[in-house]
Amino acid sequence: MKAAKILFRIALVLVVIVLAIMVMRSIMRPEKFRTVYEERCAIIKEKLITIRDVQAVYKNEYKKYFNDADSLAEFATEGTVNIDKNVGEIPEGMNEKDAIKAGLLRKETVKISAMEKVMEMDASRKPENFKHLQYVLGADGPKFSIQTGSIASKTYEIPVYMIVVPLDDILTDMDKAITPDDASAFTKFFNKIFYNGLSEETQYRSQYKDMVMGSLTEASTSGNWE
């Protein structure tokens, strides 16, 4: 009888532990999914905004947009653009046009790096923001896919582009990100219990969406987060 009571108590403790784990999983899993999704979206958004500025600089120079992420990244780090620079001075009380006529000022076209021009568009941007610009996240993951087209206006064709970052790309290697290879044995065990297979949970995935920037049907380069 005593042994039976002990076994019953052990079984009861195990049931309580299992129930507690199930309750904790139901709370922790959706929160972890949301956290990872939002952290990754913040990284991707910063990249997309940089890409938008690179596209603007390229369009200003060549009247079209990039349709390939690798070419865009190469232009951002190695390309050049022409800019008009004022040489001379405009005397007080004289406008630019009159200063040019008077020979006191002249326009000179010079080349600068595309990176320098793009960095001028955001004072907080740094050279490292251009590293692996073609990749959605890490350098061994999916790349951005750029679709281009044009919209007919009354007088000319307006170039447009759109970038769609699928939810699958946003969540790529989520399990590995949660539990890296160098994690401790305890962390691996803990995450195995609470977060294993998290990226495949359809009930969580349905609550989130792809990231989109630009449009092929209107002259807009806005993102769906704005």
Side-chain angles (χ1 to χ4, degrees), residues 1-10:
M1 182 68 68
K2 187 174 181 181
K5 287 183 178 180
I6 293 174
L7 289 175
F8 175 77
R9 289 173 181 174
I10 292 173

Side-chain angles (χ1 to χ4, degrees), residues 41-57:
C41 282
I43 295 170
I44 296 168
K45 181 178 74 172
E46 183 177 340
K47 282 197 166 191
L48 286 173
I49 291 172
T50 300
I51 287 173
R52 178 165 60 193
D53 288 346
V54 173
Q55 288 280 43
V57 169

Side-chain angles (χ1 to χ4, degrees), residues 67-161:
N67 61 2
D68 174 72
D70 286 323
S71 299
L72 181 145
E74 183 179 358
F75 172 77
T77 55
E78 301 178 20
T80 60
V81 294
N82 296 309
I83 63 167
D84 290 329
K85 180 181 179 181
N86 287 336
V87 179
E89 295 183 0
I90 303 175
E92 188 175 349
M94 183 180 289
N95 59 38
E96 182 179 290
K97 185 177 180 180
D98 290 338
I100 291 174
K101 284 183 177 180
L104 301 173
L105 184 72
R106 75 175 190 276
K107 294 284 188 180
E108 184 177 292
T109 300
V110 298
K111 284 186 179 294
I112 66 168
S113 70
M115 182 186 293
E116 180 181 347
K117 184 65 177 177
V118 175
M119 289 177 66
E120 289 176 359
M121 302 170 75
D122 184 347
S124 65
R125 190 170 286 147
K126 300 176 181 178
E128 49 263 36
N129 294 128
F130 297 85
K131 187 177 182 180
H132 305 313
L133 191 58
Q134 68 269 48
Y135 293 95
V136 174
L137 289 165
D140 57 348
K143 296 180 181 180
F144 290 106
S145 177
I146 307 174
Q147 302 175 64
T148 56
S150 61
I151 301 173
S153 70
K154 293 181 179 179
T155 55
Y156 60 94
E157 295 283 320
I158 303 172
V160 292
Y161 72 91

Side-chain angles (χ1 to χ4, degrees), residues 175-211:
D175 292 337
K176 187 174 181 180
I178 293 173
T179 311
D181 293 336
D182 59 353
S184 67
F186 174 79
T187 298
K188 290 179 179 179
F189 176 74
F190 181 90
N191 289 350
K192 182 78 172 178
I193 293 175
F194 290 100
Y195 302 128
N196 187 50
L198 186 61
S199 63
E200 303 305 320
E201 293 281 9
T202 55
Q203 68 267 35
Y204 303 149
R205 292 171 68 93
S206 63
Q207 301 175 40
Y208 300 92
K209 58 186 180 180
D210 302 340
M211 296 183 73

